[in-house]
Amino acid sequence: MAGFEITPWDVTGKVDYDKLVSEFGISKLNDKILDRVKKITGELHPMLRRGIFFAHRDFEWILNEYEKGNKFFLYTGCGPSGPLHLGHVGTWLFTKWLQDKFDVALYFQFTDDEKFWFKDKSFEEIQRWTEDNMLDVAALGFDPEKTHFLVDTRHANLLYPIAVKFAKKITFSTVKASFGMTNEDNIGKIFYTSMQAAPAVIPSVLKGEDVPCLIPLGVDQDPHFRVARDVYPKLGYYKPAILHSMFWPALKGPEGKMSSSDESSAIFLSDDEKTVEKKIKKYAFSGGKDTIEEHRRLGGNPDIDVCFQYLKFMFEEDDEELAKIEEEYRSGKMLTSELKDIAIGKINAFLKEHRKKRAKINKKILERDWLWQE
Ligand code: TRP
């Protein structure tokens, strides 16, 4: 395919979101839906106002059920193969907002099996990243009474019986067509979608009645749930509903996405102040002109400027302030170096707070028994 290519494991090229909406068969979020959300939540999260979460499957159904008093639960997850980056956190802080505003449970999956099958890393290393990532996720402040962590290999007792039934409904040719698997892929990979689908019905299994599920995710994860939406009605469950986020731009420019496996594409939660400053100054793709003189005369382009995009995605929540920065950068009044300094300051302030919160997380969450809260 010309232009861009998306699988749950790799994104290349410059993503055309309109094209993606029609290729994936998902629906754009529109004002009517956002107004309904606003009626319930009082305000709209910046990522909804700004179209970072831009599409959905069956979100209107979720709202209908909610208004009837039938609460949904949230489900999302993390593939633990390395340090977490800003893109992960953006999606999860939005998920936390949903949890707070709708007052609902969250099931959060750590797919240690997936990362072992898909990455060239030992099982032990993946376990270490699982524990590391869990501390970061816990530090984001999800309601501990309403949040359940699931680690695939540890909570197999809950996940596997569902995955078994799911797997029986999928053929190898579906997996090949949906994910581009080949005969050479290990059989763990071929089975894996069954595990990622499982949490979408865990509350229904536990309760013995159907509970609607809403999954906020980066749009690359959609193919797993397209399969799940096919299979679950056949097993007597609801189809999970989905909210899709755009990708966080990679540091070095408009192609691909921020990714754990590419050091120079991402700002990690573990990056210290100096590293953040260095990465942004050195790598952050700029919408500025080559010389100051030219920049003052012609202005910069915030639409392609990675620092401006990070402010828009998460780090400047105030719409007026963001508009002011955009205007000044576009007009040439603000220089790239100044814009970079704003982004460095904001990102480092966020990471400093995050480090403090992470240090306070009770290590008990890493113990097997504590993970599953009934
Ligand atoms: N596969 C995802 C990743 O590699 C992790 C994940 C598991 C996930 N379950 C999910 C992501 C549900 C979104 C929604 O990052």
Side-chain angles (χ1 to χ4, degrees):
M1 186 174 45
F4 64 97
E5 207 149 347
I6 295 178
T7 75
W9 301 282
D10 203 18
V11 177
T12 51
K14 177 154 173 36
V15 180
D16 175 339
Y17 286 98
D18 284 330
K19 201 164 161 203
L20 187 151
V21 163
S22 71
E23 270 176 21
F24 276 26
I26 58 185
S27 308
K28 276 195 167 176
L29 285 173
N30 57 34
D31 288 344
K32 192 173 133 235
I33 299 175
L34 295 184
D35 283 345
R36 284 184 74 184
V37 175
K38 202 172 168 184
K39 277 214 183 83
I40 297 166
T41 61
E43 46 159 348
L44 279 183
H45 190 278
M47 289 193 188
L48 288 173
R49 294 201 300 269
R50 297 174 186 172
I52 308 299
F53 271 82
F54 70 105
H56 73 106
R57 291 183 191 271
D58 276 345
F59 185 47
E60 286 170 290
W61 167 71
I62 287 282
L63 295 173
N64 293 343
E65 290 299 309
Y66 185 83
E67 281 168 356
K68 283 190 249 166
N70 186 18
K71 273 195 182 179
F72 60 93
F73 72 97
L74 291 160
Y75 159 42
T76 194
C78 160
S81 65
L84 296 177
H85 58 65
L86 298 181
H88 293 118
V89 175
T91 305
W92 299 336
L93 286 176
F94 175 71
T95 304
K96 173 179 152 48
W97 181 85
L98 290 172
Q99 176 175 54
D100 292 344
K101 294 289 178 182
F102 288 87
D103 188 28
V104 291
L106 164 66
Y107 285 73
F108 198 109
Q109 179 182 37
F110 294 87
T111 55
D112 57 341
D113 52 351
E114 175 190 21
K115 294 299 147 174
F116 177 61
W117 287 327
F118 281 86
K119 301 268 172 179
D120 189 16
K121 292 192 171 166
S122 72
F123 192 73
E124 290 66 33
E125 181 175 0
I126 296 294
Q127 294 307 308
R128 285 195 295 276
W129 284 120
T130 303
E131 301 208 338
D132 175 271
N133 290 182
M134 281 167 77
L135 291 175
D136 280 320
V137 174
L140 299 179
F142 295 111
D143 181 345
E145 300 289 318
K146 296 204 175 75
T147 302
H148 311 276
F149 279 2
L150 296 162
V151 180
D152 284 358
T153 62
R154 296 188 192 179
H155 296 95
N157 55 336
L158 284 162
L159 295 159
Y160 193 59
I162 301 168
V164 163
K165 292 178 195 154
F166 192 95
K168 195 169 177 177
K169 299 282 182 207
I170 317 175
T171 63
F172 184 27
S173 64
T174 297
V175 177
K176 280 182 180 168
S178 304
F179 303 106
M181 293 304 172
T182 69
N183 287 347
E184 279 60 51
D185 282 305
N186 70 57
I187 60 173
K189 288 186 183 183
I190 293 157
F191 169 73
Y192 170 69
T193 293
S194 320
M195 290 301 283
Q196 183 150 328
V201 300
I202 281 191
S204 303
V205 169
L206 292 173
K207 252 190 149 181
E209 63 182 75
D210 247 3
V211 188
C213 171
L214 176 63
I215 311 174
L217 45 67
V219 65
D220 58 330
Q221 298 295 313
D222 183 78
H224 288 300
F225 299 108
R226 216 176 318 162
V227 176
R229 284 167 56 83
D230 239 31
V231 169
Y232 277 136
K234 295 181 193 157
L235 298 175
Y237 297 110
Y238 288 142
K239 294 179 178 189
I242 301 171
L243 282 174
H244 303 89
S245 166
M246 292 182 168
F247 303 116
W248 278 57
L251 264 177
K252 59 192 175 196
E255 301 212 337
K257 63 160 190 165
M258 195 178 269
S259 159
S260 291
S261 40
D262 181 357
E263 185 54 53
S264 68
S265 79
I267 293 178
F268 297 121
L269 298 190
S270 53
D271 285 343
D272 63 19
E273 295 194 1
K274 284 246 141 51
T275 308
V276 170
E277 183 178 349
K278 201 181 85 195
K279 278 186 176 175
I280 290 206
K281 288 194 168 157
K282 196 163 163 190
Y283 300 121
F285 185 82
S286 154
K289 298 291 183 293
D290 288 342
T291 65
I292 291 186
E293 189 279 322
E294 213 187 329
H295 187 88
R296 293 271 188 231
R297 192 158 48 84
L298 299 170
N301 181 0
D303 304 332
I304 57 166
D305 188 281
V306 165
C307 283
F308 182 78
Q309 293 304 313
Y310 294 167
L311 295 178
K312 178 173 165 186
F313 270 62
M314 181 166 131
F315 293 101
E316 182 49 76
E317 289 203 359
D318 183 332
D319 288 347
E320 275 179 32
E321 193 53 38
L322 187 74
K324 196 172 139 226
I325 293 171
E326 178 168 6
E327 206 285 306
E328 290 189 1
Y329 192 61
R330 219 183 271 288
S331 72
K333 189 168 166 211
M334 183 181 285
L335 298 176
T336 294
S337 58
E338 293 166 328
L339 180 56
K340 286 196 171 186
D341 282 342
I342 296 175
I344 292 167
K346 293 262 181 192
I347 292 169
N348 271 333
F350 170 82
L351 291 179
K352 189 171 170 191
E353 269 312 297
H354 180 76
R355 279 192 292 272
K356 270 196 222 154
K357 289 184 193 149
R358 181 181 149 123
K360 288 199 197 118
I361 294 299
N362 187 340
K363 298 282 187 301
K364 256 193 131 129
I365 68 156
L366 304 179
E367 290 168 18
R368 258 157 212 268
D369 298 343
W370 198 86
L371 293 174
W372 173 249
Q373 304 169 27
E374 186 43 12

